[in-house]
Amino acid sequence: MNIAILAAEVAPWSKTGGLGDVCGALPGVLAALGHRVLTVSPRYKEYADADDTGVRTYIHLFGQRHEVRYFVARTPAPEAVAGDAPVGDAPAGIAAPGEVRHVFVDHPSFRRGGIYGDAHGSYGDNLFRFALLSRAGIEAAALVPVFRPAPGTADLAPLGEDVVFHVNDWHTSLVPLYLDAIYRPAGHFRRAGTVLGIHNAGHQGAFAAHQFAGLDVSSRWWPHTDMNGHLNLLKTGVVLADRVVAVSPNYAREICGELGFGLGHLFASRGRELLGIVNGVGEEWNPATDPQIAAPFSAEDLSGKLACKRALQAELGLPARDVPLLALIARLDPQKGVDLLMEILPWLMTQDVQLVILGSGSAALEQQMREMEWNHRDKARGWVGYNEGLAHRMEAGADLFLMPSRFEPCGLNQIYSLRYGTVPVVHATGGLADTVETLDPSRDRGTGWAFRSFSAGAFMDAMGWALLTWWRFPDEWRAMQRRGMTQDWTWTRSARAYERVYAEVLGLRG
Ligand code: ADP
């Protein structure tokens, strides 16, 4: 299949969160499964590994004609595909079928330093910027020659018009509208399909109604973009995309209600055309090969995990004791429910445990973390800041991972925890409910604890069971760790699910 993934963020070139991670990781795995995959994202700055293709297009928006240029990354796909000719040191843009090509749309409005805004807030022309990305993204599939049509062919061809556009969040939600309003009536992209990925339905791209005129489409499309008298880009995608895919099945259900932030009824109206696919986790989070941890370990041989615990205790200056070591890593945002942990902290600190929190964000929570450490030097540490290496060492060395999020579209840390035998205690919301199953020793099931109500009582209750199990039932504990560690949370599993959706939408128009 020909797959074009359009997004405001593609890691490692641009990333603020999960959106960038998904759009950075999924393409390579799809390519490894044999597809031709293009990503299109803005050229936010000069990328040393991306060259000018010389291809230009002109896009009419907000009453003017705008020139955009296309750049393409030189790096070959992360995973080679069996049977493909090696790319070697091929010149820019040359790709064998089955490879990922990363295209960057160049326009002065993208090159400002920020992705969505700066210290003064969101950029005032974001509607223009992301409408431009959407139009340029569609045309990239037809214009930018980056794929070799057949192995051994010298000439390059574009991805083509028989393509699945996998667009993401509100930034590229206008793609289905532009296909219907501009390109298909002109005879282009007749058989192209569209999939809208929902990473966070809380951001919708809402703009004043008068800005609709700048989008360069007839006013008969206004009802598709109108949400209570405002222009709402996410709504446009939700009603017009062939399929809508949230980042977990449970989140797909939740956005049909309150977590749809006003679009719930529209998500619900898609019925079976709305589904959820849990994100994958890359090989950098594998305790058997992780170079950042003190000792490797696996489900078959957990002995290295104790060495990791001792190393973590030493690094943080905690006593080398055999007590449950609890970890929490998060952006300190109200979404993450760290306040709920602070609520149960007085009780938790009466228990014989050690607790490490890594995070930054809310100044109030950062202050509470410092006070916690000050008041409980012998058992608690609050590390304020962003520290990737420490995040790995905490996942490896802790016994329990806490994730009391208010809402969580997918969540990654609980999946890392499962892989590292660090038993998660989570609030049963969004992807957390899909990935963590509460222990049921009578049926040899469960990988952690998922508490139902977002309350200190429910969190404390779950923690009580977790601590009791750690102290009293070590065999049960190890069995639970192993169940989590042997689950398949690879990107290949996710990519296979996306493959099925793409095949469906390509079949829709014959
Ligand atoms: P979200 O995308 O909402 O922040 P996820 O759980 O999906 O939440 O992903 C968070 C990612 O960011 C994880 O990889 C986590 O380890 C990382 N992370 C968050 N805060 C920190 C921090 N202070 N230091 C290191 N890594 C962090």
Side-chain angles (χ1 to χ4, degrees):
M1 286 185 276
N2 294 325
I3 302 160
I5 296 182
L6 275 49
E9 304 177 23
V10 174
W13 294 277
S14 52
K15 169 182 163 173
T16 66
L19 171 65
D21 279 331
V22 174
C23 298
L26 178 63
V29 184
L30 288 167
L33 293 174
H35 305 290
R36 302 207 305 169
V37 191
L38 191 72
T39 72
V40 187
S41 62
R43 184 172 179 258
Y44 292 112
K45 57 182 180 195
E46 228 170 85
Y47 299 127
D49 59 349
D51 296 330
D52 194 345
T53 59
V55 179
R56 315 255 178 288
T57 192
Y58 297 90
I59 289 166
H60 203 266
L61 278 176
F62 289 86
Q64 281 178 15
R65 206 173 76 126
H66 306 271
E67 182 189 88
V68 304
R69 302 191 296 166
Y70 293 104
F71 284 63
V72 63
R74 233 172 294 124
T75 33
E79 292 171 59
V81 187
D84 272 345
V87 178
D89 46 21
I94 294 196
E99 278 190 284
V100 185
R101 306 315 290 166
H102 296 286
V103 167
F104 303 100
V105 177
D106 185 67
H107 183 270
S109 67
F110 292 130
R111 274 181 273 115
R112 291 201 187 124
I115 294 182
Y116 306 112
D118 56 24
H120 305 290
S122 299
Y123 295 131
D125 58 351
N126 271 348
L127 177 61
F128 165 75
R129 295 168 80 231
F130 291 113
L132 189 72
L133 173 65
S134 302
R135 295 276 315 262
I138 293 172
E139 297 194 11
L143 293 180
V144 188
V146 282
F147 290 98
R148 232 179 278 152
T153 330
D155 288 342
L156 296 177
L159 187 59
E161 295 198 3
D162 291 346
V163 54
V164 181
F165 287 106
H166 180 169
V167 302
N168 293 278
D169 283 349
W170 68 266
H171 326 104
T172 43
S173 268
L174 286 175
V175 166
L177 173 77
Y178 279 130
L179 286 172
D180 282 346
I182 295 184
Y183 295 94
R184 288 192 181 119
H188 294 290
F189 295 105
R190 285 253 158 104
R191 290 204 299 268
T194 52
V195 175
L196 169 63
I198 305 287
H199 306 260
N200 188 338
H203 303 290
Q204 301 185 351
F207 299 93
H210 70 85
Q211 298 220 61
F212 175 82
L215 295 181
D216 198 37
V217 294
S218 131
S219 58
R220 77 183 181 83
W221 293 99
W222 166 248
H224 292 91
T225 65
D226 168 30
M227 193 67 207
N228 303 326
H230 278 78
L231 183 53
N232 185 309
L233 268 55
L234 191 64
K235 177 212 162 157
T236 310
V238 173
V239 297
L240 290 179
D242 295 325
R243 292 287 184 277
V244 180
V245 180
V247 288
S248 68
N250 194 44
Y251 189 56
R253 284 187 288 277
E254 290 175 344
I255 56 178
C256 293
E258 248 175 64
L259 288 180
F261 297 99
L263 299 183
H265 61 295
L266 294 174
F267 281 116
S269 74
R270 297 302 308 254
R272 297 167 69 90
E273 293 170 358
L274 165 67
L275 59 160
I277 298 175
V278 173
N279 291 336
V281 165
E283 263 308 285
E284 68 279 15
W285 291 95
N286 178 351
T289 53
D290 188 341
Q292 311 203 55
I293 64 178
F297 59 93
S298 64
E300 296 75 48
D301 180 6
L302 272 161
S303 56
K305 191 163 171 67
L306 182 61
C308 290
K309 180 172 179 172
R310 289 286 177 264
L312 181 64
Q313 288 168 325
E315 174 179 355
L316 296 169
L318 286 168
R321 298 188 57 225
D322 281 318
V323 298
L325 177 49
L326 285 37
L328 185 152
I329 306 168
R331 291 182 291 113
L332 300 178
D333 176 285
Q335 179 201 336
K336 299 295 176 184
V338 182
D339 50 313
L340 203 63
L341 175 63
M342 291 303 173
E343 235 181 289
I344 71 164
L345 194 69
W347 166 78
L348 200 54
M349 290 293 100
T350 65
Q351 306 293 306
D352 196 7
V353 296
Q354 295 178 337
L355 169 66
V356 187
I357 305 179
L358 166 62
S360 64
S362 138
L365 282 170
E366 288 181 358
Q367 185 53 26
Q368 280 178 290
M369 277 164 61
R370 292 191 188 95
E371 280 167 19
M372 169 190 84
E373 181 167 324
W374 187 253
N375 293 329
H376 307 279
R377 283 289 320 166
D378 56 329
K379 49 168 54 164
R381 290 291 178 272
W383 208 102
V384 175
Y386 191 93
N387 187 333
E388 187 106 20
L390 181 56
H392 280 252
R393 296 190 292 277
M394 285 170 67
E395 287 289 4
D399 298 295
L400 278 156
F401 193 89
L402 315 184
M403 211 156 162
S405 306
R406 282 191 166 74
F407 73 96
E408 194 68 75
C410 176
L412 287 173
N413 272 307
Q414 84 283 10
I415 306 181
Y416 304 155
S417 302
L418 290 169
R419 275 208 168 168
Y420 281 71
T422 304
V423 174
V425 179
V426 304
H427 175 219
T429 180
L432 298 175
D434 284 321
T435 50
V436 180
E437 188 187 349
T438 295
L439 177 68
D440 180 352
S442 67
R443 294 190 302 139
D444 283 335
R445 287 191 66 108
T447 51
W449 283 268
F451 56 94
R452 298 261 149 221
S453 91
F454 184 82
S455 67
F459 190 13
M460 233 160 87
D461 197 43
M463 287 304 301
W465 282 109
L467 297 179
L468 177 80
T469 309
W470 190 91
W471 284 109
R472 302 273 293 278
F473 304 100
D475 294 342
E476 197 57 63
W477 190 269
R478 258 181 295 282
M480 179 168 52
Q481 283 178 304
R482 289 208 170 91
R483 281 194 292 271
M485 294 178 82
T486 48
Q487 286 179 336
D488 178 8
W489 298 113
T490 57
W491 268 113
T492 305
R493 178 198 49 82
S494 310
R496 291 264 182 226
Y498 277 105
E499 237 180 357
R500 287 191 285 276
V501 181
Y502 299 152
E504 264 177 51
V505 305
L506 275 179
L508 288 178
R509 292 180 182 81

